[in-house]
Amino acid sequence: MEVNHINAGYESENGYISVLKDVSLTVNRDIILGIAGESGSGKSTLAAVLYNSFRYPGTIRSGEVIFDGKNLLKMKPNELRKLRGTEISFIPQAAMNALNPVKKIRLQFYDMMIAHNIKENDFDSKISSSLELVRLQENVLDNFPHELSGGMRQRVVIAMSLLLSPKFIILDEPTTGLDVMVEHDILLDIKKIQRTLGLTIVFISHDLPILFGISDAIVMMYGGEIVESGDYEDLLRNPAHPYTYQLLKSIPLIGTKIDSSMIMKGIAIDFNHIPHGCYFHPRCNFAVPKCSDIHPELKQTDGKTHLYRCNRYPEWSRNAKLEAIGT
Amino acid sequence: MSILRTENLSKTFISRHGIIAAEKTEALKDINIRLEEKELIGIVGASGSGKSTLAKLLVFLYRPTGGKIYYMDEDITKYRGKDVKKYRKKIQMVFQDPYASLDPNHSVEWHIKRPLILSRYNGDLDNRIDELLDMVTLNKSYRAKFPHQLSGGQRQRVYLARTLAVSPEVLIADEPVSMLDVSVRIEILTLLQRIKEQLGISIIYITHDLNTVSMITSRLYVMHQGMVVENGDTDSIINRPSNEYTRKLIAAAPNPYKRI
Amino acid sequence: MKMEEQEVIKDNKSLLGKIINPLKILLSNGKAKAGFIMLVALILFAILGQFFSPYNPTKYEFARGMPPSYAHLLGTTIYGQDVFSQLFYGAAPTLMVGFAVGVLGTLISIAVGISAGFASERVNTVITGIINIFLIIPGVLLIMLFGSFFLGLHQSLGYLPTILILIITGWAFGARTFRSITLSIAKRDFILSSILIGESRLSIIFRQIIRAIFPVIISNFFFTAMYGTMGLTFVEYLGVGNLLQVNWGTMLYWAINNEAYLTGMWWWILPPSFMISILMFSFILLNFGMDEIGNPSLRRFKSKNKNENKKIIGDLDVNIEN
């Protein structure tokens, strides 16, 4: 999948509010691409755009989403319907709470297959194979959603999205609201399914620890634009944007003690008052006067895949390293 | 003398189906915890471990079905009416969801003024409000704002100021950072630590997240299925967990440097 | 002194603001605006009707069953009354009954609903039982029962019995709504928080719950007012009202009773039906508008470059369901 120059935002009483600003990215086959960002970074907007499910008051001003050579945003409704579920599927935020509460799980599976004209003979075999993937027993089929725990419901939702064997899955905050152990198990399963079936997954989350744990490549979003992208290991070991660096530093870890240098100053960006110059400069520990003037372009590091949007790289990074040695 | 202590505290929920049929769920079984003065302890457990029920029992939003709660060595389990109100002045709770714990129809000022009026604060209200906002690192300009104009972290700080306005002795923080962005979590946690150190308030920090709890607490209780399965010094639990469940929890704690 | 004066001015301002601001919000919504204008027009019509109706609406002094003419804009009834005068004069009582039922019915439902929702479980069960009894008994039966009880007293009491009947039969629905909303709000964290800092129940109800459910109160008011207006025609139609009064309900009653629809006297039956429909419609528009104000996800915004957006939205709108 290729995303080119997306500009999207929301209509409001005070006119159009721009959220995504010229977002372009390429999703390679057979990997997990993590999209990271805090609330208000535009990551959920991006997810909805990728699946062409962005609805009023959201509006897409320009750009294209190319999937298998076709532009998803220009597709006719019935073409899109055919594609969804079979080629590409989307698990929105809190989908596990959006299961139909008055229908047994089995019927909800059936509904989905009827909508896609699957032969009735294949129903049970398809259901059991997708349940097996998420390690659920078949007896959950005869339960109502409220009879299942949060983790099981999330598994049901994942199984549903796998039902018609799509090759491309978008997961928006799939483990938010689940507790750590269940979260861990589900992440392990997602990874295993991805590897065995050769799926391409776009994994969107604000939770950096799990995102870095699971993704092969990572896109960092801030203020509706991509500030850094590349291989997960590059970003983890050698962040080129101070936002990535400061965010990684602020992650609480077992065994460390709290320290005020971990605090990221300032508050998340407000789309009504976007700062001049680099969007991140008010919160940046390495900002210099020019950062409030010049809005940096996306540049390449020495490595081919690692992109960043910063005026002061690699200068700041050297300073940070020196500081770390100093203390 | 412990400031707050429980003795075999239990809670059984009875959900009725019709008149006769009833289903019993044991949420808490024989919980013994103790909080010393000026101490910050942690209670860790997955959802369903009963940790939120425990929090609500301690502030009398639920009534225990067994066992006792002691405040300053006084048995308060049977308190009713006025006594409860008096006790609640000493113990306050911070909720998990800062988007739900502030009334959307009222300003920040109102949220801090009401507890001051109710606790019959004698000094100058205006100064006190500014002082409390300052304590949680917000400036005066936030007084007139409404919750929807604030970010999650700011809301949680306003909420902390509201609880501090009651001038409690004990603060129970039920997952105060789990709904917040990663970059603001540390800020709220340092604030909790500062509240403990500067105001001498004892804090129980309840969470499912071993990462954060290990950073600020001195002692730890690990809860599983309504029981305390391990307790002791935080560092020794993290380094040498004796219980199988604790070990699993530690293994599952998210870490960007560990591949899933 | 100066300080105090300033305070007073500030208070005045905020009081004025309290009336004007909600109105501004109301008028920002297209549906609410349309409903509001219609309602204001009807109220003006009703006020003017009290002073300027061309003939005495109760007198039988004209030729019977005349079609509309210049002298009688909407013709005359089969009894020789002027239809336009009846319509004009009868507007005020119709609106008055609607509003009275709306206001009083809503007040009762708030009182009952909120106290049930915020009281102990036992009180809640008892009040819910009472509400359900009123909901189960068919409204028509209650209207007949109380109507015949009040029948002898009508002369001296004017519209009071009718209003009472309609309130008795109309409060329960709103009370149920308020009860369930209060139940859900009372469990929210911000109410629990107020309990923890030591607020009393009454303070929580008046300072927080009423404000939280305000849009529902307004919407319920319009709904009950609608019931009141409809109910008026019902009461009259069932013959338990005072048929000597002139309002749109009695007009309909007499028109239907004399089979105006069979004898082709459309000028007698259509005008009151039309006016009642307009009144209903304005209530419904206001109700919908309030809904949209309370629930921003239903709103649509004006945009500077409308066409471009429309094109894209148009593409997307079709495939919401997949």
Side-chain angles (χ1 to χ4, degrees):
Chain A
M1 181 186 266
E2 224 173 277
V3 178
N4 294 321
H5 309 289
I6 292 284
N7 280 292
Y10 294 86
E11 297 294 338
S12 79
E13 279 145 333
N14 311 319
Y16 175 80
I17 297 170
S18 165
V19 176
L20 295 180
K21 285 163 244 39
D22 199 27
V23 172
S24 302
L25 56 97
T26 310
V27 188
N28 294 328
R29 272 175 204 279
D30 303 344
I31 62 156
I32 299 184
L33 174 76
I35 298 183
E38 296 179 276
S39 50
S41 63
K43 59 186 187 317
S44 288
T45 307
L46 181 61
V49 170
L50 290 186
Y51 195 57
N52 193 359
S53 63
F54 196 43
R55 295 285 166 263
Y56 193 85
T59 39
I60 302 171
R61 288 257 159 132
S62 63
E64 47 183 21
V65 177
I66 310 284
F67 179 77
D68 262 0
K70 281 184 229 158
N71 187 352
L72 272 185
L73 301 181
K74 289 264 163 64
M75 252 182 209
K76 292 205 181 76
N78 53 353
E79 281 180 304
L80 209 55
R81 201 173 305 133
K82 252 183 240 159
L83 204 67
R84 285 178 175 172
T86 56
E87 297 283 327
I88 172 170
S89 76
F90 177 38
I91 305 183
Q93 212 167 338
M96 60 178 178
N97 302 325
L99 287 168
N100 187 338
V102 293
K103 265 189 179 174
K104 285 190 176 161
I105 303 291
R106 184 189 297 277
L107 284 178
Q108 305 198 31
F109 274 101
Y110 283 177
D111 280 352
M112 180 157 174
M113 287 188 284
I114 290 165
H116 283 276
N117 304 320
I118 306 289
K119 274 190 229 121
E120 219 167 300
N121 301 339
D122 299 343
F123 277 16
D124 291 327
S125 64
K126 276 195 191 296
I127 291 178
S128 60
S129 65
S130 75
L131 283 183
E132 208 180 294
L133 284 172
V134 295
R135 294 194 293 121
L136 276 178
Q137 303 288 321
E138 288 207 18
N139 54 20
V140 300
L141 289 172
D142 295 313
N143 285 320
F144 288 102
H146 68 264
E147 295 170 317
L148 303 175
S149 69
M152 280 161 99
R153 263 181 286 149
Q154 187 61 42
R155 282 170 197 275
V156 166
V157 169
I158 295 174
M160 249 178 211
S161 73
L162 291 170
L163 199 55
L164 306 169
S165 37
K167 286 282 162 218
F168 192 97
I169 300 179
I170 304 165
L171 297 162
D172 190 1
E173 305 270 7
T175 57
T176 306
L178 300 175
D179 70 69
V180 247
M181 304 259 274
V182 180
E183 176 178 68
H184 191 71
D185 284 351
I186 287 186
L187 291 175
L188 285 174
D189 284 344
I190 290 177
K191 185 87 172 190
K192 206 181 77 201
I193 293 166
Q194 188 264 335
R195 292 290 190 249
T196 49
L197 298 183
L199 302 178
T200 309
I201 291 183
V202 174
F203 191 103
I204 296 167
S205 178
H206 71 279
D207 201 337
L208 277 210
I210 63 165
L211 198 82
F212 272 87
I214 197 169
S215 309
D216 302 304
I218 284 183
V219 172
M220 298 288 301
M221 307 252 323
Y222 187 79
E225 57 177 20
I226 295 174
V227 293
E228 186 170 4
S229 71
D231 191 60
Y232 89 94
E233 207 147 3
D234 286 344
L235 263 71
L236 195 62
R237 311 280 170 212
N238 273 318
H241 196 284
Y243 179 58
T244 317
Y245 174 78
Q246 281 171 241
L247 210 52
L248 281 171
K249 213 175 156 193
S250 74
I251 293 173
L253 279 182
I254 279 191
T256 54
K257 282 293 164 204
I258 202 158
D259 167 6
S260 58
S261 77
M262 293 171 74
I263 296 179
M264 168 124 62
K265 63 180 178 187
I267 54 165
I269 196 163
D270 174 0
F271 282 112
N272 291 312
H273 309 101
I274 287 183
H276 198 65
C278 173
Y279 297 161
F280 185 63
H281 85 264
R283 305 179 69 185
C284 184
N285 290 342
F286 308 97
V288 291
K290 75 169 175 186
C291 292
S292 54
D293 286 331
I294 305 164
H295 183 75
E297 293 301 314
L298 214 51
K299 283 172 278 210
Q300 254 178 31
T301 60
D302 312 337
K304 275 175 197 147
T305 51
H306 193 169
L307 300 175
Y308 67 98
R309 194 189 283 275
C310 178
N311 290 324
R312 292 199 63 211
Y313 183 78
E315 206 181 330
W316 72 261
S317 166
R318 246 178 268 135
N319 293 351
K321 272 176 193 151
L322 285 177
E323 241 173 67
I325 294 165
T327 58
Chain B
M1 181 171 68
S2 319
I3 190 160
L4 197 65
R5 181 160 61 88
T6 67
E7 206 179 270
N8 299 329
L9 198 65
S10 308
K11 174 75 183 173
T12 309
F13 286 106
I14 300 168
S15 49
R16 289 189 198 286
H17 308 287
I19 301 167
I20 303 161
E23 204 179 303
K24 283 186 181 175
T25 343
E26 269 195 307
L28 290 180
K29 275 168 272 181
D30 298 334
I31 300 291
N32 291 301
I33 59 165
R34 126 189 97 77
L35 175 69
E36 305 294 342
E37 261 175 86
K38 293 178 193 172
E39 195 186 23
L40 205 170
I41 64 166
I43 296 179
V44 191
S47 53
S49 64
K51 59 189 198 306
S52 287
T53 310
L54 178 61
K56 288 195 167 138
L57 279 176
L58 292 178
V59 293
F60 277 75
L61 285 175
Y62 290 153
R63 291 277 174 179
T65 39
K68 289 194 162 75
I69 305 173
Y70 292 93
Y71 177 76
M72 294 291 198
D73 280 343
E74 191 187 335
D75 183 3
I76 58 166
T77 325
K78 291 281 176 303
Y79 271 11
R80 300 264 160 214
K82 270 206 172 133
D83 289 335
V84 170
K85 269 200 167 173
K86 223 190 275 166
Y87 165 70
R88 275 190 184 142
K89 289 211 174 90
K90 308 277 177 217
I91 180 161
Q92 285 291 311
M93 178 169 163
V94 180
F95 293 88
Q96 174 178 12
D97 185 356
Y99 293 88
S101 59
L102 295 178
D103 190 331
N105 292 313
H106 290 286
S107 67
V108 168
E109 181 175 333
W110 183 88
H111 278 101
I112 303 173
K113 206 182 211 163
R114 286 303 300 170
L116 285 176
I117 292 171
L118 287 167
S119 61
R120 301 207 171 75
Y121 181 72
N122 287 324
D124 185 67
L125 280 181
D126 271 346
N127 286 341
R128 182 70 183 145
I129 293 172
D130 289 341
E131 219 175 281
L132 285 165
L133 280 176
D134 190 52
M135 182 72 213
V136 296
T137 61
L138 290 172
N139 60 33
K140 277 185 203 173
S141 65
Y142 283 92
R143 285 175 63 150
K145 294 205 175 180
F146 282 84
H148 68 264
Q149 295 167 305
L150 306 176
S151 70
Q154 287 169 338
R155 286 173 198 230
Q156 203 59 294
R157 280 187 269 162
V158 169
Y159 196 82
L160 275 172
R162 178 171 160 91
T163 57
L164 293 182
V166 189
S167 32
E169 314 256 317
V170 179
L171 203 59
I172 294 171
D174 185 8
E175 301 268 17
V177 298
S178 68
M179 306 273 285
L180 303 178
D181 276 328
V182 181
S183 69
V184 269
R185 288 186 185 171
I186 294 290
E187 225 173 315
I188 300 295
L189 294 175
T190 35
L191 198 56
L192 282 182
Q193 223 177 21
R194 206 164 71 229
I195 286 169
K196 183 201 85 175
E197 273 156 22
Q198 290 182 7
L199 304 177
I201 294 174
S202 316
I203 301 177
I204 301 182
Y205 174 43
I206 299 177
T207 183
H208 70 270
D209 181 10
L210 260 175
N211 285 333
T212 52
V213 88
S214 70
M215 293 179 89
I216 56 168
T217 57
S218 55
R219 279 190 305 121
L220 210 57
Y221 291 88
V222 181
M223 281 184 71
H224 183 47
Q225 291 176 348
M227 287 182 291
V228 172
V229 292
E230 185 163 1
N231 76 81
D233 185 60
T234 304
D235 289 337
S236 58
I237 288 187
I238 298 287
N239 296 328
R240 294 175 298 279
S242 63
N243 185 282
E244 183 57 28
Y245 181 77
T246 318
R247 243 172 263 147
K248 274 190 198 159
L249 261 184
I250 294 174
N255 184 337
Y257 300 96
K258 205 170 65 190
R259 282 309 266 176
I260 290 169
Chain C
M1 273 309 280
K2 252 189 183 169
M3 281 289 279
E4 266 175 32
E5 266 173 31
Q6 272 178 349
E7 288 278 273
V8 171
I9 291 167
K10 219 171 136 193
D11 270 355
N12 260 343
K13 243 186 192 168
S14 70
L15 194 71
L16 208 71
K18 266 181 187 165
I19 299 169
I20 288 177
N21 284 339
L23 209 63
K24 260 189 197 158
I25 297 170
L26 191 73
L27 294 185
S28 69
N29 179 287
K31 281 177 195 155
K33 197 175 178 176
F36 184 74
I37 291 171
M38 281 163 76
L39 192 60
V40 169
L42 280 171
I43 290 171
L44 278 178
F45 181 79
I47 293 171
L48 291 178
Q50 290 302 297
F51 304 105
F52 299 110
S53 62
Y55 306 103
N56 185 335
T58 45
K59 281 261 169 70
Y60 313 91
E61 51 187 2
F62 305 108
R64 297 171 173 209
M66 293 267 291
S69 64
Y70 186 70
H72 301 287
L73 285 175
L74 291 171
T76 58
T77 68
I78 207 159
Y79 303 105
Q81 299 147 301
D82 179 52
V83 175
F84 180 72
S85 297
Q86 287 200 325
L87 197 70
F88 209 13
Y89 186 80
T94 313
L95 283 174
M96 197 263 301
V97 170
F99 277 107
V101 172
V103 171
L104 296 173
T106 305
L107 282 181
I108 293 176
S109 10
I110 291 173
V112 176
I114 291 184
S115 50
F118 207 52
S120 67
E121 208 168 315
R122 216 170 295 153
V123 178
N124 181 9
T125 322
V126 172
I127 300 182
T128 311
I130 297 173
I131 294 175
N132 283 339
I133 289 172
F134 272 88
L135 282 176
I136 288 164
I137 299 175
V140 179
L141 205 71
L142 281 178
I143 290 176
M144 294 291 278
L145 194 76
F146 287 99
S148 35
F149 172 72
F150 283 122
L151 206 52
L153 310 167
H154 273 311
Q155 297 292 348
S156 49
L157 291 175
Y159 278 97
L160 196 62
T162 314
I163 293 173
L164 273 180
I165 294 169
L166 290 173
I167 292 173
I168 291 169
T169 53
W171 65 273
F173 186 81
R176 220 172 109 110
T177 318
F178 290 132
R179 186 192 71 96
S180 57
I181 292 186
T182 312
L183 268 179
S184 83
I185 288 184
K187 281 189 205 125
R188 301 255 182 94
D189 285 353
F190 66 85
I191 300 293
L192 294 183
S193 150
S194 289
I195 294 174
L196 287 185
I197 66 157
E199 294 269 18
S200 68
R201 267 164 205 265
L202 274 181
S203 160
I204 292 177
I205 288 176
F206 282 105
R207 287 205 170 84
Q208 299 187 276
I209 292 186
I210 299 247
R211 283 183 85 154
I213 64 174
F214 196 69
V216 189
I217 292 179
I218 296 293
S219 139
N220 184 73
F221 162 75
F222 288 124
F223 189 83
T224 319
M226 208 160 85
Y227 170 80
T229 324
M230 285 257 278
L232 174 66
T233 51
F234 237 67
V235 168
E236 305 294 2
Y237 182 71
L238 290 170
V240 290
N242 184 348
L243 293 169
L244 294 176
Q245 291 161 338
V246 176
N247 57 51
W248 297 343
T250 47
M251 283 178 77
L252 267 184
Y253 171 79
W254 289 117
I256 290 167
N257 228 21
N258 288 292
E259 285 158 352
Y261 47 93
L262 289 179
T263 53
M265 291 171 71
W266 54 267
W267 57 86
W268 191 7
I269 194 163
L270 282 187
S273 323
F274 179 72
M275 293 307 277
I276 287 174
S277 317
I278 293 277
L279 185 58
M280 294 291 139
F281 194 50
S282 78
F283 283 151
I284 288 175
L285 282 178
L286 279 164
N287 203 337
F288 279 9
M290 282 309 295
D291 244 15
E292 284 180 22
I293 290 164
N295 181 1
S297 66
L298 295 173
R299 260 185 260 175
R300 295 209 143 234
F301 303 105
K302 283 176 202 145
S303 175
K304 277 166 204 162
N305 42 356
K306 251 183 180 166
N307 289 330
E308 192 189 326
N309 282 333
K310 255 195 189 145
K311 217 180 105 209
I312 298 168
I313 296 161
D315 274 359
L316 298 174
D317 251 0
V318 200
N319 46 52
I320 287 176
E321 301 295 326
N322 67 328

